[in-house]
Amino acid sequence: GQSRVVVDLNGLRSDNGMRDAYVRRTILDVESYPNAVFVPERAEGLPFPLPESGAVTFRLVGTLTIHGTAREVAWDVAARRTGGEVSGTATSTITFSDFELEPPSVAAVISVSDEIRLEIALVALGLIVIANLRGIRESGKIFALPAYLFVGGALTVIGIGVFRIVT
């Protein structure tokens, strides 16, 4: 089967319970659409073998489904390898309208942009050393688990971003 990262949107929480309930009920409609799902499809520009040290940039591309709407989403990943540690960030921009969601607004009080910028910090320790010792040939196999963990974190940040936008 295909790999998937599933985030339960009912678990999204911020510092304001009333706002959380509004976002979950009115914007995300978690009763009908309880999960956000990301299916990673490819890593574009990821060099193999990875350099022993230094910077690497690539795009992680896949299908993100929110509110029953699936769209291709690309994350720009900037990573740095130092020995057995890889750290970096990944960024992406989505919009409420991409997923057929209405941006929150309260007449004459708040107006929210349609654009949501997401950013994730990522650290993988020791994975490269283990992969190199085992002789794995495909870079996708090396980064499968960290990429899926990263995407799960990204979906969590989407929820946090929505909460912050409505504040």
Side-chain angles (χ1 to χ4, degrees):
Q2 199 170 34
S3 297
R4 301 164 28 115
V5 177
V6 179
V7 174
D8 180 0
L9 298 175
N10 285 294
L12 297 177
R13 302 280 185 274
S14 74
D15 62 345
N16 185 316
M18 287 178 54
R19 179 181 57 230
D20 297 348
Y22 173 81
V23 169
R24 285 191 306 268
R25 182 183 63 249
T26 306
I27 296 172
L28 296 174
D29 186 14
V30 296
E31 189 171 310
S32 299
Y33 307 98
N35 299 314
V37 179
F38 182 80
V39 178
E41 295 164 1
R42 64 190 179 278
E44 299 173 347
L46 182 62
F48 187 79
L50 289 173
E52 293 295 318
S53 64
V56 174
T57 59
F58 65 96
R59 290 175 64 90
L60 181 62
V61 181
T63 301
L64 177 61
T65 303
I66 300 174
H67 201 255
T69 302
R71 296 285 186 259
E72 183 174 88
V73 174
W75 293 85
D76 293 314
V77 180
R80 174 164 298 282
R81 180 176 174 185
T82 307
E85 178 179 312
V86 176
S87 61
T89 59
T91 58
S92 186
T93 301
I94 63 170
T95 64
F96 284 100
S97 59
D98 285 342
F99 296 95
E100 301 176 12
L101 298 170
E102 288 293 322
S105 68
V106 177
V109 178
I110 186 172
S111 178
V112 176
S113 168
D114 188 39
E115 189 172 278
I116 303 167
R117 178 176 162 77
L118 308 171
E119 185 169 333
I120 301 292
L122 155 69
V123 176
L125 300 173
L127 179 65
I128 293 170
V129 172
I130 293 167
N132 285 338
L133 289 175
R134 295 187 66 192
I136 295 174
R137 295 179 186 217
E138 297 177 28
S139 61
K141 291 180 182 176
I142 294 172
F143 285 101
L145 180 60
Y148 299 147
L149 293 173
F150 158 76
V151 171
L155 292 174
T156 301
V157 169
I158 290 170
I160 293 168
V162 169
F163 288 133
R164 288 187 178 177
I165 286 173
V166 297
T167 59

